[in-house]
Every structure is written in C-alpha cells, then in structure tokens.
Amino acid sequence: MRPLLAGTGRSYSCLRCLQASTRPRLLVASPRHHHLPLPPPPPQTPTPTPRSSSLSPCPPSAAFYHSTPSLRQDQAPSPISSEHQQPDPPTARAPPTAPKAVLNLKHIRENAELYAQNARDRNYHAAAAYPARINDLFSRWHATRHQGRGLRVRSNMIRRLLANPDPTRDESGDDEAAELRSLSRDELIEEGRKIKADLAALEDAEAAISAEMHRLALAIPNLTSDATPRGDEPVVLSYINDHPEPDPSASDRVWRSHVHIGAELGILDFAGAGTTSGWGWYFLVGEAAQLEHALVSYALAAAARAGWRQVSPPSMVYSHIAGACGFQPRDAHGETQIYAIAQSPADAARGRPEWCLAGTAEIPLAAMKADTTINEPELPIRRVAASRCYRAEAGARGSETKGLYRVHEFTKVELFAWTPPDAAATREVFDEMLDLQTDILGSLGLHCRVLEMPTADLGASAYRKCDIEAFFPSRRDRNGGWGEVTSTSICTDYQTRRLATRLKLQSAGKLDYPWTVNGTALAVPRVLAAILENGWNEADKTVTIPEVLRPWMDGKEKIGPPNHLLKSSP
C-alpha cells in the first residue's frame, strides 16, 4: 500500500500514539487506529502527566508503525518534579440540556500572561498554567484542522477520479494527482475508505482538543478590577457608626461572647445541636428565633423600598449550575464549601445531573436567567431573596469559630442584579448595594468598616469585591474584633457566559452578555451575634434590641432572662 502523501519525506505515526506522546490528557474516543502523517507539536516546556488520566496507552503491537524516533521510545512519561505538577481543573457532570458556556478563548490566548499573573495574584496557582496550555492546545488544534483540509482535498480528488477516470479531463497536474491516477479503481476505493476513517479520527482529535481548551478556560478566574488592591491586605474605605469603646483602657464595660450571652438568656442551644447534627449547627430559641425573623423581614422591607423585587428561591441546585457561578474546588486537595447530594448508582449510570445544597441564594438567582435572552431595556434587573444557605466551611475549628460566627447552615438575605455590560452602569448598581448594606447595618447600631478586598480574597467569579466588617467585642484579640458580615461583588460576564445568559442590544441589534452583581443584604447568624454582644448590659443581664427591629419583636426593647418580659411603654 502506498503512503497517503507520497514524496513528503515525513515520518508516519498513528494519531492516538502521537496524542499520547505530546499531550497525555487528550483522548481520541475512537476505536480506529489508522496511521497518517501529523505535524510535530510546537516546542514547549514539559507538560506534567495529571494524577488521573483517562488515556489508554497504545498497544505494544502499534510500536511497529512508530517511525518517529521519539515515538519509538518508551511511551511512559518521564518523571517530573512535583513543583511543576498541576491538578486538573474542577468539573461537574452536566446533562446535555445544561447551559452551554460561551467563553472568550481568543481573549485568553491573546492575553495569556495577563490571565496567568491574575491567577497568581488571586492564589489560583494551578490555573496560572492554563493559559499557556490553552495556547499550546490551540496550535495543535489548528495543525489538526490543517491536516484535515489536506485529506479532504485528497478525498475530493479520489471522488473525481472515480466519477471520471479519463486523465485528459483532469486539470490537476501535481504529484499527488499523478500518484492517484496510477491507482486502480479498487485501490482508489480502498484509499477513499481509509481517508474517511482518518478524517473521522482527526475530527475526534479536534473535539478532544476543543473540549480540553474549554475545560481549562472554565477553571481560570475572572480578571481583576484596577480598584482592587494587589496582595492580601484590604483597604479601609469608610466606617459606619462610632466605636462603642474608643478608649478601652478607660472603660469598665463588661463584654461577653454571644455564646455566653445566649446561654445566660437561654436563647442559643449549641449542645442540643451538637447531639442532633454536630459541630457548626445550632438552635435559636425564643427571642433569638424571633430576632432571626425580624432581621430577615427588616432587610427584605428595606430592599423592597429601594426597588428590589423579592424572590423565594430553591435551596437545592444542580452542581454544574453552582460551578458555573464560580463555586468550585479551589486547591489541589479538592476541598469545597458546597454540600453535594448523594446520588444513587442507578441515577449516575443514567447520567442524571448531580445536585448540591446552595451555599448562597446567588446561585439559584443567577440561574433564573440561564439559557435565556434579556432585552436591553429591562436592565438593570434587581432581585432580593431570603434563603437558607449551606456551607461545608472547610478550615480551622476551635475557639475562633466557636458559636454563630462560622456555621454550616444559616439564613441570609441576598441581593442580585443583571446590569448592562458597562463599567459605569454596573458600578452604579454596585454602589447602590453598598449603600443599602450601610443603611441596614447602620440602623442596627453596629460599628462597622467598609473594605476594598484584595486579590488574594477574591473568589473565582469576582472582578471586584467590597466587604463590610462589624465589631465583635468577643473577637477583640483577633483582627481587632472585626468580622465580616456582608460582601458585595461585581462578576462582569463571568457567570452569564457560563450560564448562557444573553443580552439583546437594542441599538446594535446583536447579542452580548450582561454583567452580574451580587451582595449580602444581611447574614443572620453573624449580625445576630453582633447585636447580642454589642447590646449586652452586664448590670441587668439584658440585650437591647435595635429600634428598627422592635415592630417584628412584639414591641420589646430588650431581651432578658427567661420569663422576664420587657416591653416598651405605651
């Protein structure tokens, strides 16, 4: 049998073996094992073999066909130092009906170092290698497509010769055409069959390379705003209310932890929750449960007055939806803050999508517009939702996280908005969220500070983030008593591209992607803890209830010991 391209002088190697030698991650999902010339991969630094690879090595019988010297060598990857090893990007199994993410791969390729440095700034060190790998894969994808075009040209020549074997009517005069004309009709038919099989293998390779580029791009964090401090130190933007103890040395005020206060008043039960559910769970009893509902009602009322439309979202979402919103494992150990729902083997075998508990209402709110097109005049769309949130909260345990500060389940009021893909318009909604948070926390009498958060503190989806921290007397020996109670983030088109949320521009008549902004209006457990600690009166063993909450607290001014009802005067 003649070689496919006579006279090229190239070595011939099977597609599967070449993929195995140059990119162990790529799997050509095809039983075909045809041998055709492929261009060598571009020069590159050694790429480590992932810890888990789905690629099956070429069978020993294939070694006979390896004419490229490097492919005649042992196919086993050479040892690579652990400092260069990169974990696989996180993935979530998605059904065919899941939103199809549309990522800007061209921008990543053309700005590879920008994305790499951005990932390093944000402590996504594994993802810092992905832009370069995407460029490498794109070169191979382009070479594979180029070869496919050559095979299609050859296939067309064969079809023309089979339809019209008369050489006088064939205008092609190159060596390849002459070589084909020398073949018999049976040989041409056999050659056509082999080209068809080789084209199918190339198409498989193109699909595998495209899927790998897409998977890597999904794991790259969003770019970062110029307003965001680089490093790990936030910048204080402003303060809310005066410090309750500006001169601690001159004060004789007795401070208590909310854990102690809750036990004293009989409104927090951690021991019962420990028996029921374990560490990080709690019971709110009596006035504490009532205070939770008061905080939620007050925050929803404040948001509604500001024009935010209320939504009651589901607490369980598909795992691929959570991943599209940026909630995914962040390190090589695969740690996650999302609780996954156990799936039966039968459901897994049928390819049913996995579920997880929503860590925040941001996830289901963002998914409300998945796979839809928003008309430009509708923007901005403002939504507010109260929901239960579930966090695995991987990390340290002990006195620093004792009580309500770090828990696995809590109630939160979340703000979410879709905005035009415009920095000024999005900044306006972002500032509106911050103002609303400031008003709510300020009216509760809490002393807070507003922070511009640094790159090291940004999650995958955030382009810019501002946190508000409240003063917790019980945490004075840690971070000066400051603890986060709200957060606000601009996510640009990170989430909408991954959720296929499109925007129809009225002026240009074309499609774009809206930006998203999210923020915590009020996280109940931490705010409740701050109210207990800041409102505690050691003399009469009571907690003062903020005035704005009293309409939802039966008019009570204070929370006292059990059976000690304190109501405001008529």
Side-chain angles (χ1 to χ4, degrees), residues 32 61 90 184 204 262 273 313 317-318 538 545:
R32 307 178 186 92
S61 61
S184 68
D204 287 342
V317 298
Y318 288 132
E538 180 72 17
I545 299 172

Side-chain angles (χ1 to χ4, degrees), residues 14-311:
C14 76
L15 177 64
R16 206 173 110 202
C17 296
L18 184 60
Q19 295 288 2
S21 69
T22 59
R23 179 64 244 168
R25 282 209 50 76
L26 294 180
L27 170 65
V28 179
S30 171
R32 307 178 186 92
H33 199 62
H34 300 283
H35 301 278
L36 62 159
L38 282 176
Q44 58 173 333
T45 55
T47 304
T49 302
R51 290 174 293 180
S52 61
S53 175
S54 57
L55 181 66
S56 300
C58 269
S61 61
F64 174 80
Y65 300 100
H66 290 158
S67 59
T68 302
S70 63
L71 293 180
R72 288 199 298 266
Q73 299 172 1
D74 185 4
Q75 294 296 310
S78 59
I80 299 174
S81 61
S82 59
E83 65 180 291
H84 295 295
Q85 293 181 2
Q86 299 290 344
D88 289 341
T91 57
R93 187 169 72 248
T97 55
K100 301 299 186 292
V102 184
L103 307 179
N104 196 342
L105 283 171
K106 181 179 179 181
H107 195 266
I108 295 174
R109 294 198 316 269
E110 293 177 348
N111 300 275
E113 182 51 36
L114 170 66
Y115 280 89
Q117 184 59 48
N118 179 66
R120 288 188 288 268
D121 289 343
R122 296 167 70 142
N123 288 337
Y124 283 75
H125 296 292
Y130 298 160
R133 286 167 61 180
I134 288 173
N135 269 333
D136 174 52
L137 288 167
F138 180 75
S139 297
R140 300 177 196 185
W141 177 85
H142 191 271
T144 304
R145 284 184 65 86
H146 178 74
Q147 183 178 352
R149 285 194 294 269
L151 288 178
R152 290 183 183 93
V153 169
R154 184 176 176 86
S155 178
N156 290 337
M157 287 183 184
I158 291 173
R159 267 196 298 270
R160 287 197 300 269
L161 285 172
L162 290 172
N164 178 29
D166 184 1
T168 61
R169 300 185 59 182
D170 187 357
E171 298 178 357
S172 301
D174 57 20
D175 294 340
E176 186 174 2
E179 179 255 325
L180 288 174
R181 283 195 295 270
S182 68
L183 300 179
S184 68
R185 182 177 181 82
D186 289 342
E187 288 176 323
L188 285 174
I189 292 173
E190 180 62 22
E191 182 77 354
R193 289 188 183 128
K194 291 186 179 296
I195 290 177
K196 181 178 180 181
D198 290 337
L199 280 172
L202 279 175
E203 289 168 359
D204 287 342
E206 284 182 34
I209 294 171
S210 295
E212 181 74 350
M213 287 192 294
H214 187 80
R215 193 170 72 95
L216 292 172
L218 282 173
I220 296 174
N222 200 356
L223 291 176
T224 307
S225 164
D226 292 338
T228 300
R230 268 55 182 174
D232 55 10
E233 288 296 325
V235 173
V236 179
L237 300 179
S238 61
Y239 288 90
I240 303 170
N241 293 331
D242 295 330
H243 197 289
E245 193 179 35
D247 186 7
S249 61
S251 172
D252 59 356
R253 182 171 178 177
V254 177
W255 297 102
R256 300 286 186 188
S257 163
H258 68 276
V259 177
H260 177 274
I261 295 169
E264 181 85 15
L265 301 179
I267 60 176
L268 299 179
D269 184 356
F270 294 103
T275 302
T276 305
S277 306
W279 180 94
W281 307 84
Y282 56 95
F283 283 107
L284 300 180
V285 182
E287 288 90 342
Q290 193 176 6
L291 191 58
E292 176 182 49
H293 291 290
L295 286 166
V296 171
S297 298
Y298 173 59
L300 288 174
R305 285 195 301 269
W308 295 75
R309 190 177 186 188
Q310 188 172 337
V311 175

Side-chain angles (χ1 to χ4, degrees), residues 225-416:
S225 164
D226 292 338
T228 300
R230 268 55 182 174
D232 55 10
E233 288 296 325
V235 173
V236 179
L237 300 179
S238 61
Y239 288 90
I240 303 170
N241 293 331
D242 295 330
H243 197 289
E245 193 179 35
D247 186 7
S249 61
S251 172
D252 59 356
R253 182 171 178 177
V254 177
W255 297 102
R256 300 286 186 188
S257 163
H258 68 276
V259 177
H260 177 274
I261 295 169
E264 181 85 15
L265 301 179
I267 60 176
L268 299 179
D269 184 356
F270 294 103
T275 302
T276 305
S277 306
W279 180 94
W281 307 84
Y282 56 95
F283 283 107
L284 300 180
V285 182
E287 288 90 342
Q290 193 176 6
L291 191 58
E292 176 182 49
H293 291 290
L295 286 166
V296 171
S297 298
Y298 173 59
L300 288 174
R305 285 195 301 269
W308 295 75
R309 190 177 186 188
Q310 188 172 337
V311 175
S312 182
S315 294
M316 197 161 71
V317 298
Y318 288 132
S319 296
H320 63 266
I321 292 293
C325 292
F327 291 81
Q328 51 193 0
R330 182 169 175 154
D331 58 29
H333 303 291
E335 290 186 354
T336 178
Q337 291 191 334
I338 299 294
Y339 280 113
I341 304 298
Q343 190 178 48
S344 70
D347 284 346
R350 284 194 288 266
R352 291 189 174 179
E354 298 173 349
W355 277 293
C356 65
L357 293 174
T360 168
E362 171 194 341
I363 300 172
L365 287 175
M368 283 182 73
K369 298 294 183 180
D371 257 339
T372 64
T373 299
I374 300 173
N375 292 317
E376 189 176 14
E378 299 177 48
L379 299 180
I381 299 174
R382 298 176 177 86
R383 296 290 181 262
V384 59
S387 71
R388 297 294 277 182
C389 304
Y390 301 87
R391 305 283 180 91
E393 293 288 9
R397 302 288 185 259
S399 60
E400 185 168 345
T401 56
K402 186 178 180 181
L404 294 174
Y405 190 79
R406 195 174 298 282
V407 292
H408 295 308
E409 179 182 7
F410 58 96
T411 302
K412 182 160 70 83
V413 178
E414 182 77 3
L415 302 165
F416 191 90

